[in-house]
Amino acid sequence: MSTGPAFKRLPRAVRQQQMLDSAVRIFSRRGYHGASMDEIAEVAGISKPMVYAYLGTKEELFVACLHREGTRMVQAIAGAAAPDLPADERLWRGLRAFLGFVGAHRDGWAVLYRQARAEQPFARELTVMRARLVEVVAGMLDHALRAEGREVADTELEVVAYALVGASESLADWLADHPEADPEKTATQMMNVAWLGAGQLLHGLSWRPPVA
């Protein structure tokens, strides 16, 4: 009679998400090097060979976690801001969706932002994800500018988008360490800082250094 563990049969897609959930949890707490496939399998309630069969090596598993969490985050942001909304509301909804994601998926954020950027070749995955975020934000700004009858060079839009994404990432990292903080209130606070600059950009205003 077999004395090994008995595993409940689940659809492949469900089982795979279960493995990713467990892997994200362990990677966020142990780091890439500190995490073990044995612990990930144990937390998922499956055998280690099954993890390898579904998601490959530890490195491939980590990349799969990055892809899933990054895709979820970008989709949340892109889906939050309908194109027919005023520019300020689109940006606020995007910030609220982003910080709401971080507040609800602190383990996922830790893997995306803290673990990935410290490890090669995973830092490249983070760079690709950030570029997608910048593209989404730049698209929001461009749409708002065109609605105001203005056009701005792509480079200028990219600079502003990178600045907004960078500031939002730093605030999100703070939020991840403060579970008592309200993501929506934090998004509003960020909006008060960001929109003062972006709003002036929409109206063609810009700061100039003093003439020497």
Side-chain angles (χ1 to χ4, degrees):
M1 180 181 295
S2 173
T3 58
F7 301 112
K8 181 181 178 181
R9 280 190 169 275
L10 293 172
R12 182 182 180 88
V14 174
R15 180 69 79 188
Q16 185 166 312
Q17 292 305 310
Q18 184 183 57
M19 294 179 194
L20 289 172
D21 289 341
S22 299
V24 166
R25 178 181 172 188
I26 299 304
F27 282 133
S28 72
R29 299 177 184 184
R30 308 271 191 253
Y32 175 72
H33 293 293
S36 72
M37 297 294 270
D38 290 293
E39 186 176 13
I40 290 169
E42 181 181 354
V43 170
I46 59 174
S47 66
K48 185 166 72 170
M50 189 177 291
V51 177
Y52 283 109
Y54 273 65
L55 293 163
T57 64
K58 181 179 174 181
E59 180 176 327
E60 290 170 329
L61 175 58
F62 191 82
V63 171
C65 291
L66 293 181
H67 286 171
R68 189 189 73 168
E69 299 304 305
T71 298
R72 283 178 168 180
M73 183 173 66
V74 173
Q75 287 177 344
I77 297 168
D84 58 337
L85 293 172
D88 58 339
E89 189 173 350
R90 290 191 75 205
L91 183 57
W92 178 72
R93 287 194 180 196
L95 283 169
R96 183 177 64 175
F98 172 52
L99 295 175
F101 172 88
V102 174
H105 302 88
R106 285 180 166 83
D107 286 347
W109 176 254
V111 170
L112 282 172
Y113 191 73
R114 297 177 179 177
Q115 303 299 336
R117 69 177 179 171
E119 302 287 345
Q120 292 293 345
F122 308 127
R124 183 182 177 281
E125 300 291 337
L126 182 62
T127 299
V128 171
M129 181 197 72
R130 182 178 289 117
R132 289 169 63 195
L133 279 176
V134 168
E135 184 179 353
V136 169
V137 173
M140 288 182 181
L141 293 174
D142 184 51
H143 183 275
L145 285 165
R146 291 180 186 278
E148 294 278 338
R150 298 188 62 244
E151 289 189 26
V152 174
D154 289 344
T155 301
E156 187 173 348
L157 277 176
E158 187 177 20
V159 168
V160 175
Y162 264 105
L164 289 174
V165 169
S168 299
E169 284 179 343
S170 295
L171 187 58
D173 208 38
W174 174 87
L175 180 67
D177 284 336
H178 293 80
E180 76 283 358
D182 178 12
E184 183 165 335
K185 182 179 179 181
T186 305
T188 302
Q189 292 170 323
M190 176 64 193
M191 186 67 187
N192 282 323
V193 175
W195 187 247
L196 293 177
Q200 292 193 59
L201 173 67
L202 291 177
H203 292 94
L205 302 176
S206 61
W207 178 85
R208 302 291 181 187
V211 178

